[in-house]
Amino acid sequence: MKSLKQSKSRKIIVYLFLVLASIIMLIPFIWMLSASIKATQEVFSVPFRLIPAIPRWINYKDIWTTIPLLTFIGNTTFLTIVVTILQLLTSSFAAYAFAKLEFKHRNKLFLMYIATIAMPWQVYMVPQFIMMRAMGLNNKLTAIICLQAFSAFGVFMMKQFYTGIPNDLCEAARIDGMSEYRIWWKIMLPLSKPALSTLTIFTFVNTWNDYLGPLIYLKSESKKTVQLGLKMFIGQFSAEYGLIMAGSVITLIPVVVVFLLLQKNFVEGVASTGIKG
Amino acid sequence: MRKRISKVASLLLTVVLVAGMVAGCGASKSSDPGYGSGTTTIKWSIWDEKTTPYWSQLADAYMAKHPDVKVELTDLGSADYSTVLSTELSGNGSEFDVVTIKDVPGYATLIAKGVLEPLDDRIKTANIDLAKYNGSTDQLKADGKLYELPFRSDFWLLYYNKDIFDKAGVAYPTNDMTLEQYDTLARKVSKTGFGNDQIYGAHYHSWRSAVQLFGVLDGKHSIIDGNYDWTKQYYDMVLKEQKDGICRTYVDVTASNLHYSGAFSEGNTATMNMGTWFIGTLIANVANGKYDKALCGNWGVVKYPHPSGVAAGTTLGQVTSLAIPTSSKNKDAAWDFVKFVSGEEGADVVAKSGNFPAIMNDNIASQIASIAGFPTDDASKKALLTTKVYLEAPYDKNIAQINTILDTYHKDIMNGDISVDAGIAKMNKEVSAVLGK
Amino acid sequence: MSDKVTSVAKQPVKRGLSRNTKRNIVAYSFIAPNFIGFAIFTLIPIIFSFFLGFFKWNGNGTPIFVGVSNFTKMFGDTFFKASFINTIMYCIGTVPLTLIAALGLAMLLNKKIKGRGLFRTIAFFPYVASLVAVTAVWTMIFHPSKGPVNAILHYVFNVQTLPNWFGKDLIMFTMVLFSVWRFMGYYMIIYLAGLQGISGELYEAAKLDGAGKWNQFRYITWPQLSSTTFFVMVMLTISSFKVYDVAIMLAGGSDGRLGTSSSVLVYYIYQKAFQEWDLGYSSAIAMVLFALVLLITLVQFRGQTKKEKE
């Protein structure tokens, strides 16, 4: 019953709002781009100049030669991929039990999972380090994998999504004689594409941007990650902010690409198929 | 029931793990295989390996003299160096033989953790005369014991922009100025204006040391006193300069994240109190064009301004030192390396790289002054000779807490959130509480 | 509900494992991969830290038992009290605002608009952009004397005493604003995923019944999103209590130190742990934080399990 004019003007308002909001969201990114081609002392100078008088494009070359950025990107990519896969598998596996199976102490265990997220990592970092070193994990990439791949956060999130999937599906499958494992594999996993995409994005960003973990555990240069590399531009007495920003721009690209690819999964109707069937 | 059992089990496991860790911590790892038997590797923790040449230069120089020793550098990054090192030395099982100590709070932390070797006996056996360190080692003794030997020492000078003084027709600062003379000079050469016209007579970096520590130069006070009334006149001096536009305000400096190098290289800062570490940066960046030669290329240094009655050449300083962790398995080899680096041979290498070794004498000062890019005037050369160096932070077991308290109220005072008197009163109260007074 | 029926029906004494035990084993087998890794690498150090609250330890040597003195010390600690209050205020401000913003954005970007993929990515940007960059921009925009915000206030709205957004009175407010802006894209994604789970048929039926947009939201969208909202609320609460980076970057200045006006609990914990190496005291503070979060989470959890049983 809406008139064509009304819906068109509403559309325009919506677009206007989105464009305005986008500009606000993008300002820091524009700042990053602008800073990445400046000399260090220009980066914070007031008044702010969008494009410096002499753009230092050489910053984008220097970041590869001043520090072994390629090695760092390689290490970070390896860590991120391994952690993400492990997280997806183990979290969704565990979440299925919490969401769809009845078992003893389910709620208490789940509550404990959530509760541990509340502990700031800084608190138990030292005992954890001493323990991991005793296990021989100091200065090993495996250490980071062990720290990041088994998080309570992933379990919590997947469980909440699985709860939203109607029980009838699982019940029907059980009556058909499917084992719980097959139900998870054949029914839950495919239905949770949006949730899995979300977890992938978060795990990816988290591991990619992790600073404290690699700082404490990775000492040899050949093992260090991107965030440690960027910090190398901050010396004892000065910081090369132009290079830091150029590095940040480059390392932002994989994250954006992953997000763009995965957000396609946030499409209506994916989860609603197969309920009444 | 099963869950309860597994809960108890995990508790037991934890207790066992804790006991294991604790027992491991207590046990001493003393076995020193005796060095000289085959290649010994010395693991050395450092920072900024790529941007600071003397680390590898020192290692190479030592290895050239001792072909049976390999010095392995591990860069822990300078941003969080103390945190990483302290964590690494927690528990038992670190593999470092020589650790570089970045600052006194880090030093105090490691002493409190009991992970550093006292060096006094070794120093005595090797007949090292600590006087060559210009008094800094006296301020680093903990309970009468010395746990580190300095190899690099920086001290504070007054940098000035000769072009600005020339333009204003004002005589350059001299190597013997009282603080009153310094303040007068800064006011004389300032120009309040807009944008590019403005000339700042002075510039204070956001560190507490840039303002408060003028007060320790008379030798009667230090930051571990517990009473800070002696800082009042310097806070007053700087805040008044801020108000009169003689220097940038603290609020502006912190809000725009302005680094002191930027302030000086912009070409509108007439004088700036800062440490000798800036000399290397200045020389390099003027040479490679990062700083505009026309704006700041014509610079000089003079000795730090001092309170009247105090000898010229009295200044603030900080040291970078080497220490040996108790967990090292090659302590003798490590000590030999430490001796080398903090001795004359190491000082030579450090000076050649344009940095200031802990041992400072005429010879070394001339070496540094003759580096290309260092100002050629005689006064700048003489500025490098110090009379007495007071450490910005002398050793105290509570130095970390004291620093935190003082930094907090320094910030509040300079931000204008609290009056100078109220801020000092708080400092007095809280530091005294920490010191147990 | 169906489970109550089946458990009553199960009576016979079978040989071998009972159905209940079998069920438990299956369930535990699902949890095991994640739990084992989690227990070894995370849970054990956390439990150790809990006990550490009753000890004095600096990372080396033997921990010394000190009973509850760490906790009694907290009550007289002004810096702790300031950090505590700041953190709570921050939480109260951030949680509802972020939730509303994220939900709004998600609903908006769930519609079929052209370029929504692009808009979604842009909404995510504040979260992934370098914190240094984001802070620098924020600092410039809200600069007390040179920033556009205060310029507008002065010239357009004729405000005479311009607010200092980073001063001790407004800094917490600025932090909340900053957080909402930085994290709404993050939680938008969670809501987007949650929205996918709502069957389109429900909306069709509602439209046929003549329900308007607001009623559709109230009776379909909001209830259907309840498990997602629970997740968002709990995560927002927990991460607000754990705030650290935002505070350091906005209020920490060049030396990364916070004063009483902007200090937060995790900052204080970090100071005690890594500056002063008073690991016992920092653990004790963490326990207080943990207890508080647990309490709030429990309340939300109770409310949520009630809903999920329906």
Side-chain angles (χ1 to χ4, degrees):
Chain A
M1 228 97 83
K2 276 192 211 94
S3 71
L4 208 61
K5 230 189 189 176
Q6 260 188 316
S7 62
K8 216 181 187 149
S9 57
R10 170 175 297 161
K11 249 195 174 171
I12 295 179
I13 294 177
V14 166
Y15 264 106
L16 220 65
F17 172 75
L18 281 176
V19 169
L20 197 64
S22 302
I23 296 179
I24 296 180
M25 306 257 190
L26 281 179
I27 293 180
F29 184 61
I30 299 173
W31 188 92
M32 276 170 75
L33 287 173
S34 158
S36 67
I37 49 173
K38 287 183 178 160
T40 293
Q41 60 270 28
E42 280 185 299
V43 171
F44 291 107
S45 64
V46 182
F48 174 71
R49 273 191 77 152
L50 187 62
I51 304 186
I54 315 163
R56 275 184 72 92
W57 296 102
I58 200 173
N59 279 353
Y60 280 96
K61 175 166 161 291
D62 286 345
I63 50 175
W64 302 96
T65 50
T66 324
I67 58 170
L69 191 59
L70 200 58
T71 314
F72 296 155
I73 291 182
N75 288 338
T76 318
T77 311
F78 168 72
L79 283 177
T80 307
I81 292 179
V82 174
V83 168
T84 306
I85 293 178
L86 278 176
Q87 261 262 43
L88 287 177
L89 286 176
T90 63
S91 293
S92 54
F93 210 49
Y96 176 65
F98 281 117
K100 296 299 178 203
L101 301 180
E102 290 281 341
F103 58 96
K104 210 161 187 200
H105 301 299
R106 183 182 76 167
N107 283 352
K108 286 203 201 92
L109 204 54
F110 187 60
L111 197 59
M112 181 209 70
Y113 252 105
I114 307 179
T116 56
I117 304 179
M119 277 296 258
W121 185 38
Q122 289 88 339
V123 178
Y124 57 92
M125 209 157 92
V126 174
Q128 189 182 49
F129 174 74
I130 297 178
M131 181 185 84
M132 307 261 297
R133 180 170 58 192
M135 291 184 202
L137 289 173
N138 191 14
N139 204 18
K140 298 241 167 48
L141 287 173
T142 320
I144 306 293
I145 296 176
C146 295
L147 290 180
Q148 299 274 28
F150 308 104
S151 81
F153 170 81
V155 173
F156 183 22
M157 191 178 91
M158 294 305 295
K159 188 258 182 190
Q160 295 308 110
F161 280 115
Y162 281 165
T163 309
I165 297 178
N167 287 345
D168 315 359
L169 281 174
C170 307
E171 284 304 323
R174 279 189 201 119
I175 291 173
D176 279 350
M178 261 193 187
S179 78
E180 302 290 352
Y181 304 102
R182 287 205 81 200
I183 296 178
W184 174 77
W185 180 252
K186 285 253 132 122
I187 300 181
M188 301 302 283
L189 262 195
L191 279 182
S192 47
K193 253 198 172 145
L196 288 174
S197 305
T198 311
L199 188 56
T200 307
I201 293 171
F202 287 157
T203 313
F204 190 94
V205 173
N206 213 27
T207 320
W208 191 262
N209 287 340
D210 187 17
Y211 172 66
L212 265 186
L215 177 72
I216 300 289
Y217 288 90
L218 303 176
K219 312 271 166 49
S220 319
E221 191 164 275
S222 57
K223 301 213 166 86
K224 289 190 177 177
T225 62
V226 156
Q227 290 302 319
L228 292 182
L230 291 183
K231 270 288 165 103
M232 284 179 176
F233 291 122
I234 300 181
Q236 188 178 4
F237 297 113
S238 63
E240 301 268 11
Y241 279 107
L243 292 176
I244 294 177
M245 283 304 123
S248 300
V249 169
I250 296 281
T251 52
L252 192 56
I253 295 175
V255 174
V256 174
V257 167
V258 166
F259 182 86
L260 260 173
L261 290 174
L262 287 176
Q263 65 82 31
K264 289 206 190 95
N265 289 325
F266 300 144
V267 170
E268 247 179 61
V270 164
S272 60
T273 55
I275 293 180
K276 311 275 191 242
Chain B
M1 187 57 189
R2 175 185 285 135
K3 207 67 237 164
R4 205 163 293 152
I5 292 179
S6 64
K7 258 197 198 142
V8 171
S10 56
L11 216 69
L12 275 173
L13 181 62
T14 314
V15 171
V16 165
L17 260 168
V18 170
M21 280 190 244
V22 161
C25 295
S28 64
K29 289 196 176 180
S30 59
S31 55
D32 200 337
Y35 107 100
S37 46
T39 316
T40 327
T41 309
I42 298 178
K43 283 193 77 171
W44 187 22
S45 73
I46 61 168
W47 62 84
D48 289 351
E49 187 188 343
K50 294 203 179 317
T51 44
T52 322
Y54 57 68
W55 303 109
S56 34
Q57 286 168 350
L58 284 165
D60 291 338
Y62 185 79
M63 289 194 277
K65 283 188 82 183
H66 299 88
D68 57 337
V69 176
K70 180 168 179 312
V71 177
E72 212 181 87
L73 305 164
T74 306
D75 187 338
L76 301 182
S78 82
D80 293 290
Y81 180 80
S82 298
T83 306
V84 179
L85 183 63
S86 306
T87 308
E88 169 76 23
L89 292 178
S90 294
N92 217 35
S94 167
E95 291 175 347
F96 284 110
D97 299 298
V98 178
V99 293
T100 317
I101 310 284
K102 195 156 183 265
D103 53 34
V104 179
Y107 177 59
T109 299
L110 293 177
I111 293 179
K113 281 156 79 69
V115 294
L116 295 181
E117 282 280 304
L119 301 174
D120 308 88
D121 291 335
R122 293 181 187 267
I123 292 175
K124 211 182 272 176
T125 319
N127 257 325
I128 300 181
D129 181 14
L130 294 177
K132 62 187 172 189
Y133 298 112
N134 279 341
S136 38
T137 49
D138 297 331
Q139 302 165 59
L140 295 169
K141 289 228 165 108
D143 288 331
K145 297 204 201 121
L146 189 62
Y147 292 86
E148 64 177 11
L149 266 189
F151 77 93
R152 174 182 168 164
S153 154
D154 290 287
F155 52 90
W156 285 64
L157 299 165
L158 193 69
Y159 293 78
Y160 65 97
N161 189 321
K162 290 182 180 164
D163 288 336
I164 293 182
F165 279 88
D166 289 337
K167 231 195 228 153
V170 177
Y172 296 158
T174 69
N175 268 328
D176 188 355
M177 289 196 302
T178 64
L179 282 154
E180 289 84 21
Q181 290 169 330
Y182 156 72
D183 181 50
T184 314
L185 188 67
R187 287 169 180 278
K188 209 159 167 202
V189 78
S190 283
K191 206 160 78 155
T192 43
F194 293 109
N196 292 333
D197 281 342
Q198 177 142 25
I199 300 288
Y200 295 102
H203 180 78
Y204 302 96
H205 192 53
S206 52
W207 298 329
R208 171 173 53 87
S209 42
V211 175
Q212 263 193 8
L213 296 186
F214 287 121
V216 310
L217 294 172
D218 61 4
K220 299 199 193 109
H221 310 285
S222 86
I223 64 166
I224 52 179
D225 269 358
N227 185 296
Y228 303 95
D229 297 340
W230 44 270
T231 61
K232 178 168 161 69
Q233 62 180 117
Y234 305 108
Y235 275 119
D236 285 340
M237 175 181 89
V238 173
L239 287 174
K240 189 155 193 313
E241 286 183 7
Q242 268 190 184
K243 188 150 154 262
D244 299 337
I246 309 297
C247 66
R248 293 177 182 77
T249 66
Y250 179 87
V251 173
D252 268 347
V253 168
T254 44
S256 53
N257 226 329
L258 182 63
H259 196 256
Y260 56 81
S261 61
F264 193 75
S265 60
E266 264 177 23
N268 53 7
T269 305
T271 72
M272 180 171 83
N273 60 335
M274 190 38 67
T276 47
W277 54 79
F278 184 44
I279 291 181
T281 319
L282 246 188
I283 293 180
N285 286 345
V286 167
N288 67 24
K290 271 206 185 133
Y291 296 161
D292 191 338
K293 236 198 188 97
L295 293 176
C296 65
N298 196 7
W299 58 275
V301 285
V302 288
K303 297 191 193 197
Y304 209 53
H306 55 87
S308 34
V310 171
T314 310
T315 179
L316 309 167
Q318 45 172 248
V319 289
T320 308
S321 320
L322 296 182
I324 303 178
T326 48
S327 53
S328 161
K329 295 197 182 77
N330 300 307
K331 294 199 181 103
D332 292 331
W335 169 244
D336 196 73
F337 183 66
V338 171
K339 256 195 306 178
F340 174 85
V341 172
S342 35
E344 278 74 6
E345 292 159 296
D348 206 50
V349 175
V350 174
K352 282 210 175 71
S353 73
N355 292 287
F356 288 75
I359 301 174
M360 179 55 87
N361 49 38
D362 276 345
N363 197 4
I364 295 190
S366 303
Q367 247 192 68
I368 297 177
S370 57
I371 291 179
F374 190 82
T376 47
D377 60 294
D378 207 43
S380 292
K381 213 174 285 189
K382 290 217 174 64
L384 299 180
L385 297 168
T386 52
T387 319
K388 180 136 173 77
V389 177
Y390 290 101
L391 289 188
E392 291 179 40
Y395 171 80
D396 181 283
K397 69 176 162 84
N398 294 304
I399 189 73
Q401 271 184 293
I402 296 176
N403 265 349
T404 311
I405 295 171
L406 294 181
D407 282 337
T408 307
Y409 293 111
H410 173 77
K411 205 185 206 156
D412 286 344
I413 292 176
M414 297 302 292
N415 264 330
D417 288 339
I418 200 179
S419 74
V420 178
D421 292 320
I424 292 181
K426 285 213 171 205
M427 288 187 211
N428 291 349
K429 181 161 164 251
E430 289 185 26
V431 176
S432 301
V434 166
L435 294 174
K437 287 206 179 120
Chain C
M1 251 193 276
S2 56
D3 266 282
K4 286 208 186 105
V5 175
T6 46
S7 56
V8 164
K10 161 192 75 60
Q11 303 290 352
V13 180
K14 270 184 161 155
R15 281 227 270 143
L17 297 167
S18 74
R19 203 155 138 220
N20 244 3
T21 321
K22 239 192 227 153
R23 199 181 57 180
N24 287 348
I25 292 179
V26 168
Y28 291 142
S29 73
F30 269 95
I31 301 175
N34 187 286
F35 186 75
I36 291 176
F38 172 71
I40 296 177
F41 298 109
T42 307
L43 194 57
I44 290 182
I46 290 183
I47 294 176
F48 180 78
S49 295
F50 266 118
F51 287 110
L52 211 47
F54 300 100
F55 287 78
K56 191 175 165 71
W57 193 48
N58 65 9
N60 291 75
T62 330
I64 305 169
F65 184 70
V66 290
V68 292
S69 67
N70 281 333
F71 294 94
T72 45
K73 187 158 132 196
M74 261 188 259
F75 290 119
D77 189 338
T78 35
F79 208 75
F80 166 74
K81 287 192 262 209
S83 312
F84 187 78
I85 293 175
N86 286 342
T87 311
I88 293 191
M89 286 197 327
Y90 173 81
C91 185
I92 293 177
T94 310
V95 175
L97 289 176
T98 315
L99 197 148
I100 295 172
L103 183 54
L105 265 179
M107 283 175 41
L108 189 62
L109 292 178
N110 202 30
K111 298 186 196 294
K112 289 188 174 58
I113 355 174
K114 262 204 175 136
R116 75 173 170 184
L118 188 63
F119 285 122
R120 286 172 175 179
T121 315
I122 293 177
F124 193 52
F125 256 85
Y127 177 65
V128 289
S130 144
L131 195 53
V132 172
V134 170
T135 319
V137 166
W138 211 256
T139 320
M140 276 197 305
I141 295 179
F142 284 90
H143 195 281
S145 52
K146 301 195 188 107
V149 170
N150 273 8
I152 295 177
L153 281 179
H154 184 72
Y155 292 111
V156 177
F157 295 102
N158 252 322
V159 174
Q160 291 310 319
T161 27
L162 292 172
N164 179 5
W165 300 96
F166 300 98
K168 63 182 165 122
D169 294 319
L170 285 177
I171 182 68
M172 291 310 301
F173 174 76
T174 312
M175 283 210 293
V176 169
L177 214 59
F178 181 87
S179 266
V180 173
W181 176 84
R182 183 162 166 85
F183 291 106
M184 60 183 181
Y186 179 93
Y187 290 100
M188 169 198 80
I189 298 175
I190 299 182
Y191 267 125
L192 268 177
L195 284 171
Q196 306 320 317
I198 306 179
S199 162
E201 300 178 357
L202 292 168
Y203 289 109
E204 293 301 322
K207 273 196 201 127
L208 285 174
D209 281 348
K213 280 246 162 19
W214 171 249
N215 281 334
Q216 283 178 35
F217 174 77
R218 191 164 156 218
Y219 292 110
I220 302 176
T221 317
W222 183 252
Q224 287 287 321
L225 282 178
S226 84
S227 43
T228 314
T229 301
F230 173 66
F231 176 73
V232 169
M233 283 218 55
V234 172
M235 287 313 298
L236 267 175
T237 309
I238 293 181
S239 48
S240 299
F241 269 93
K242 290 203 297 185
V243 62
Y244 175 70
D245 282 333
V246 170
I248 292 278
M249 298 291 322
L250 273 185
S254 53
D255 54 358
R257 289 202 201 270
L258 299 177
T260 43
S261 55
S262 52
S263 172
V264 289
L265 278 177
V266 176
Y267 170 76
Y268 197 43
I269 289 174
Y270 189 83
Q271 283 293 101
K272 287 291 165 190
F274 291 100
Q275 298 296 330
E276 299 170 32
W277 285 83
D278 193 349
L279 295 176
Y281 191 45
S282 72
S283 292
I285 299 174
M287 280 169 73
V288 171
L289 194 162
F290 176 84
L292 198 57
V293 172
L294 189 61
L295 197 66
I296 299 176
T297 308
L298 245 163
V299 170
Q300 295 174 327
F301 188 73
R302 286 270 158 78
Q304 186 59 22
T305 36
K306 247 190 230 150
K307 271 197 197 138
E308 280 172 18
K309 284 221 152 70
E310 288 162 16

